[in-house]
Amino acid sequence: MAQKPKLDPHVGRLGYLQALVTEFQETQSQDAKEQVLANLANFAYDPSNYEYLRQLQVLDLFLDSLSEENETLVEFAIDTGRGHMLVPRLHLWLLMLGPSL
């Protein structure tokens, strides 16, 4: 199980999300990547996080995850793209793929 990112308690939400993005990018553990991507997907449900997620280019993480061999990462990316208008580019890309998913 992935550990919570270690950060200063005064860093705020943007800092916490940045720590998650950094952990996703740097970890070699597939389990940790799955947990971090799931956490980022959960943050995407809250509109107050949209600007932070855009700043951190979290959409690119979801798009990149679509080409992973790890099926769980692909599923998280697909579910997030289908469920959020935060990621209209991802949503459009999934629609173009159609039933092949």
Side-chain angles (χ1 to χ4, degrees):
M1 178 172 263
Q3 296 178 339
K4 281 187 168 184
K6 294 176 183 156
L7 54 108
D8 183 330
H10 304 289
V11 77
R13 189 173 296 212
L14 178 60
Y16 182 77
L17 291 169
Q18 177 63 67
L20 286 174
V21 169
T22 300
E23 180 180 357
F24 183 85
Q25 293 169 332
E26 293 180 355
T27 187
Q28 297 300 309
S29 165
Q30 289 299 304
D31 182 52
K33 279 186 180 257
E34 290 172 8
Q35 289 183 4
V36 169
L37 199 63
N39 285 334
L40 289 169
N42 286 334
F43 276 103
Y45 279 101
D46 183 349
S48 68
N49 295 318
Y50 289 4
E51 184 55 36
Y52 298 135
L53 296 172
R54 283 188 187 101
Q55 275 182 268
L56 298 171
Q57 300 176 335
V58 171
L59 170 60
D60 292 336
L61 291 180
F62 288 114
L63 288 171
D64 291 345
S65 295
L66 290 170
S67 61
E68 290 278 343
E69 290 184 24
N70 180 324
E71 289 183 22
T72 303
L73 293 178
V74 173
E75 288 173 17
F76 285 151
I78 290 170
D79 290 345
T80 302
R82 288 183 177 151
H84 303 289
M85 291 317 295
L86 159 71
V87 287
R89 207 170 71 192
L90 176 56
H91 185 76
L92 179 61
W93 195 81
L94 292 171
L95 288 174
M96 290 187 322
L97 285 177
S100 65
L101 293 174

